[in-house]
């Protein structure tokens, strides 16, 4: 049975305005989007880590109270406001990750994240903290996209060669470019679109998610876009075929977000913490350079977050399962009991799968 497409409120055909509309070319020469931590703020991070160790609190039980940041917490609130009401991203620089173990760095990211929002699950097994490492599947470029959560936090532990290069683009600026060149294509964003769940649906659930791609509240645009998942959902015969207009829209969005005028290249270095609002900022990854004499590697820790004061969005924006992740967005954990073969006439079952801490993130 073929799915029937619905429609959501159409986007008004007028440009978005405000600080969320920016061009990378303009920001590349400005340091305003980078927050350099002072020695006193770094001391607060060290003290918070010592507090967690002294209490023996498990990672997933660590709250903002367990990770006290007397003055840095105020700067993080300012960063959260910038994510929601400003440019949509902040780069925190200077965290001395070289003196932390991977476990300590994970606690640090989790603790800082607690001051920004509520972590949500990143996969169907309930992992809350992801790892991105170099590998064969990470050598290709990632096209401009958003993650399946309100906000994203990436802590860089290692980056050499071209592997730290991330590109950002203002979703509102991309919208304005489409409006200026092909305004008729904006209507496509108001249709129901189908995103491939890639096998992470709940038992008995559909293998795709039917959602709108954009919502506008006054001048505030919220965009969700992952062309890879839009294209791979086409493998299901029930999913409506993408129209030529939709493919033209996606081509134009990709081209515009990657253009030298709009994109901002951010060369992540160890100790950088990139915070971004997925509704306001598209992100992409640079391709690996083919230089056999140059070392290339990267290692990032990733959190998906629901801000403590998130923007208002219609429930359909996240689909029917968003409330099962503990925040908003994310991937609903399955919590499946897996039976084992009976032993001596007695059934054995594994306990409910507890949401884990760290998992590798396939790319």
């Amino acid at each position: 049975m073929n799915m029937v497409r619905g429609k959501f409120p159409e986007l008004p055909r007028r440009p978005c305005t405000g600080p969320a509309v920016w061009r990378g070319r303009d920001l590349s020469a400005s340091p305003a989007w980078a927050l350099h931590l002072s020695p006193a703020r770094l001391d607060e991070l060290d003290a918070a880590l010592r507090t967690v160790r002294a209490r023996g609190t498990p990672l997933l039980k660590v709250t903002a109270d367990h990770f006290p940041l007397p003055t840095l917490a105020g700067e993080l609130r300012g960063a959260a406001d910038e994510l929601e009401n400003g440019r949509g991203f902040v780069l925190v620089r200077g965290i001395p990750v070289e003196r932390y173990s991977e476990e300590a760095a994970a606690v640090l990211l989790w603790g800082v994240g607690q001051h920004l929002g509520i972590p949500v699950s990143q996969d169907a097994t309930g992992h809350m903290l992801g790892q991105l490492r170099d590998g064969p599947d990470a050598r290709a470029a990632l096209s401009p996209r958003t993650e399946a959560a309100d906000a994203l936090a990436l802590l860089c532990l290692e980056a050499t060669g071209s592997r730290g290069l991330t590109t950002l683009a203002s979703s509102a600026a991309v919208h304005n470019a489409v409006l200026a060149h092909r305004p008729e294509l904006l209507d496509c964003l108001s249709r129901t679109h189908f995103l491939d769940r890639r096998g992470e649906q709940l038992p008995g659930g559909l293998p795709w998610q039917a959602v709108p791609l954009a919502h506008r509240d006054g001048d505030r645009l919220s965009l969700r876009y992952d062309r890879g998942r839009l294209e791979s959902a086409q493998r299901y015969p029930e999913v409506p075929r993408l129209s030529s207009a939709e493919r033209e829209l996606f081509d134009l969005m990709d081209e515009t977000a990657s253009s030298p005028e709009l994109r901002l290249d951010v060369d992540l270095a160890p100790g950088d913490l990139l915070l971004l609002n997925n509704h306001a900022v598209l992100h992409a990854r640079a391709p690996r350079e083919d230089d056999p004499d140059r070392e290339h590697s990267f290692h990032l820790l990733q959190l998906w977050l629901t801000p403590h004061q998130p923007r208002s969005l219609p429930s359909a924006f996240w689909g029917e399962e968003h409330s099962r992740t503990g925040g908003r967005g994310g991937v609903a954990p399955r919590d499946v009991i897996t039976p084992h073969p009976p032993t001596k006439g007695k059934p054995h079952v594994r306990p409910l799968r507890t949401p884990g801490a760290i998992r590798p993130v396939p790319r």
Side-chain angles (χ1 to χ4, degrees), residues 102 109 122 129-135 137-138 142 145 147 152-159 163 166 268 283-285 297-304 358-363:
E102 184 178 308
L109 177 58
Q122 298 179 30
L129 187 59
Q131 289 194 86
L132 291 80
R133 288 183 180 271
D134 203 5
D137 61 347
L142 279 180
R145 65 175 191 163
E147 301 290 354
L152 171 67
L154 289 172
L155 177 61
C156 181
L157 302 184
E158 179 185 1
R163 302 313 304 135
T166 299
L268 292 180
H283 69 278
R285 187 179 65 211
S297 65
F298 72 98
H299 184 193
L300 306 174
L301 296 181
Q302 172 179 274
L303 271 183
W304 288 359
I358 304 178
R359 66 132 185 168
V361 179
R363 278 295 191 252

Side-chain angles (χ1 to χ4, degrees), residues 1 47 96 173 315:
M1 179 181 68
S315 60

Side-chain angles (χ1 to χ4, degrees), residues 266-291:
V266 180
D267 195 6
L268 292 180
D272 286 349
L273 173 59
L274 178 62
L275 308 172
L276 62 85
N277 185 328
N278 278 303
H279 306 304
V281 178
L282 294 155
H283 69 278
R285 187 179 65 211
R288 180 170 180 165
E289 294 176 354
D290 294 326
D291 183 353

Side-chain angles (χ1 to χ4, degrees), residues 7-32:
K7 287 206 68 173
F8 295 89
E10 292 186 358
L11 301 179
R13 290 195 183 181
R14 66 174 185 272
C16 297
T17 61
V21 183
W22 49 264
R23 300 186 306 172
R25 180 172 291 173
D26 298 332
L27 292 187
S28 60
S30 170

Side-chain angles (χ1 to χ4, degrees), residues 8-12 16 189-190 212-224 279 311-314 317:
F8 295 89
E10 292 186 358
L11 301 179
C16 297
L189 292 176
S190 302
L213 295 187
H215 173 72
R216 188 160 172 182
D217 182 6
D219 268 339
R220 175 175 286 174
L221 176 75
S222 299
L223 178 72
R224 64 179 306 164
H279 306 304
R311 66 180 57 190
S312 176
L313 287 168
F317 198 81

Side-chain angles (χ1 to χ4, degrees), residues 70-293:
T71 59
L72 181 55
E75 293 193 52
L76 292 175
R77 285 192 294 271
D81 183 69
E82 184 66 40
L83 263 58
E84 188 58 40
N85 302 306
R87 289 179 299 271
F89 75 96
V90 173
L91 181 63
V92 180
R93 312 207 87 152
I95 298 174
V97 294
E98 69 280 355
R99 71 188 191 206
Y100 301 134
S101 65
E102 184 178 308
E103 179 184 5
V107 174
L108 186 150
L109 177 58
W110 181 271
V112 169
Q114 292 292 316
H115 288 269
L116 295 168
I118 303 167
V120 296
S121 172
Q122 298 179 30
D123 66 6
T125 60
H127 286 98
M128 309 290 281
L129 187 59
Q131 289 194 86
L132 291 80
R133 288 183 180 271
D134 203 5
D137 61 347
R139 294 175 181 173
L142 279 180
S143 59
R145 65 175 191 163
T146 63
E147 301 290 354
D150 287 292
L152 171 67
L154 289 172
L155 177 61
C156 181
L157 302 184
E158 179 185 1
T160 59
S162 64
R163 302 313 304 135
L165 184 58
T166 299
T167 66
L168 309 178
S170 159
S171 297
V174 171
H175 163 278
N176 288 355
V178 174
L179 177 64
H181 294 95
R182 296 291 303 279
E184 74 281 4
L185 294 181
L186 283 180
D187 293 340
C188 296
L189 292 176
S190 302
R191 301 173 188 166
T192 302
H193 285 81
F194 298 84
L195 299 173
D196 192 351
R197 292 187 187 274
R198 295 177 174 169
E200 294 201 312
Q201 65 271 16
L202 293 174
L206 293 173
W208 61 79
Q209 187 179 30
V211 293
L213 295 187
H215 173 72
R216 188 160 172 182
D217 182 6
D219 268 339
R220 175 175 286 174
L221 176 75
S222 299
L223 178 72
R224 64 179 306 164
Y225 179 63
D226 187 334
R227 189 165 187 174
R229 294 177 64 197
L230 289 164
E231 295 276 8
S232 62
Q234 295 290 290
R235 62 190 168 125
Y236 301 109
E238 300 91 343
V239 170
R241 302 302 88 183
L242 290 171
S243 67
S244 59
E246 287 168 323
R247 292 186 182 277
E248 288 181 50
L249 171 65
F250 300 158
D251 287 343
L252 182 55
M253 290 173 62
D254 290 347
E255 178 184 355
T256 303
S258 303
S259 68
E261 181 179 1
L262 260 64
R263 80 168 191 264
L264 176 67
D265 294 335
V266 180
D267 195 6
L268 292 180
D272 286 349
L273 173 59
L274 178 62
L275 308 172
L276 62 85
N277 185 328
N278 278 303
H279 306 304
V281 178
L282 294 155
H283 69 278
R285 187 179 65 211
R288 180 170 180 165
E289 294 176 354
D290 294 326
D291 183 353
D293 297 325

